[in-house]
Amino acid sequence: SKASLTVTCPDFGDWKDLGLDQYNLQDFIDLKFNPGCVLPVMEGLQEFTEYLSESLELQSPFQLLEPPTTVGFLKLPKPCCYVFPGGRGDSAFFAVNGFNILVNGGSNAKSSFWKLVRHLDRIDS
């Protein structure tokens, strides 16, 4: 029996043509490129998620994040860019005259950007 290798990669740029045909790997290995997504049958998954949704109480993100300890808003020199490294997603905050944007807040329960952002008067996007 042959070993099996499944490769999932973008279908553009250098990934589009990897040139593996020239190596004749099909004799040694069962090679699949970008196969369709096949999900296993998940019996009882619906019942399990319903059970969890009934037994768990989710808190609002505003309840989880610490409120500011000072009164007033932070004034940032513009233009500026702050990058916040995060375990499950880095984020960045950009500010130019009249416009503030937070890019990719990540999915951590304790956001790395919150200590700065909570002191701003607004975020536009």
Side-chain angles (χ1 to χ4, degrees):
S1 95
K2 296 193 287 186
S4 176
L5 176 65
T6 302
V7 178
T8 303
C9 58
D11 61 349
F12 56 86
D14 291 338
W15 291 102
K16 189 168 189 150
D17 183 26
L18 295 177
L20 294 177
D21 296 336
Q22 66 183 346
Y23 297 109
N24 200 17
L25 296 174
Q26 295 292 344
D27 294 340
F28 308 103
I29 192 167
D30 182 20
L31 197 56
K32 297 176 190 165
F33 285 100
N34 295 330
C37 183
V38 178
L39 297 175
V41 177
M42 295 183 216
E43 296 177 14
L45 182 62
Q46 182 68 32
E47 293 84 6
F48 180 68
T49 55
E50 287 173 4
Y51 170 76
L52 283 180
S53 66
E54 291 171 0
S55 61
L56 294 177
E57 288 186 33
L58 297 178
Q59 290 182 325
S60 158
F62 298 105
Q63 293 171 328
L64 295 173
L65 297 172
E66 301 167 12
T69 55
T70 58
V71 177
F73 298 115
L74 181 66
K75 298 294 180 197
L76 298 173
K78 296 177 180 168
C80 70
C81 172
Y82 291 92
V83 177
F84 304 96
R88 286 188 232 157
D90 295 342
S91 59
F93 174 76
F94 299 95
V96 294
N97 287 335
F99 190 77
N100 301 324
I101 184 171
L102 179 66
V103 179
N104 188 16
S107 62
N108 279 339
K110 192 161 182 113
S111 303
S112 58
F113 60 84
W114 183 245
K115 287 187 178 184
L116 172 80
V117 170
R118 69 183 176 177
H119 295 287
L120 301 175
D121 60 343
R122 74 174 201 282
I123 297 179
D124 298 306
S125 181

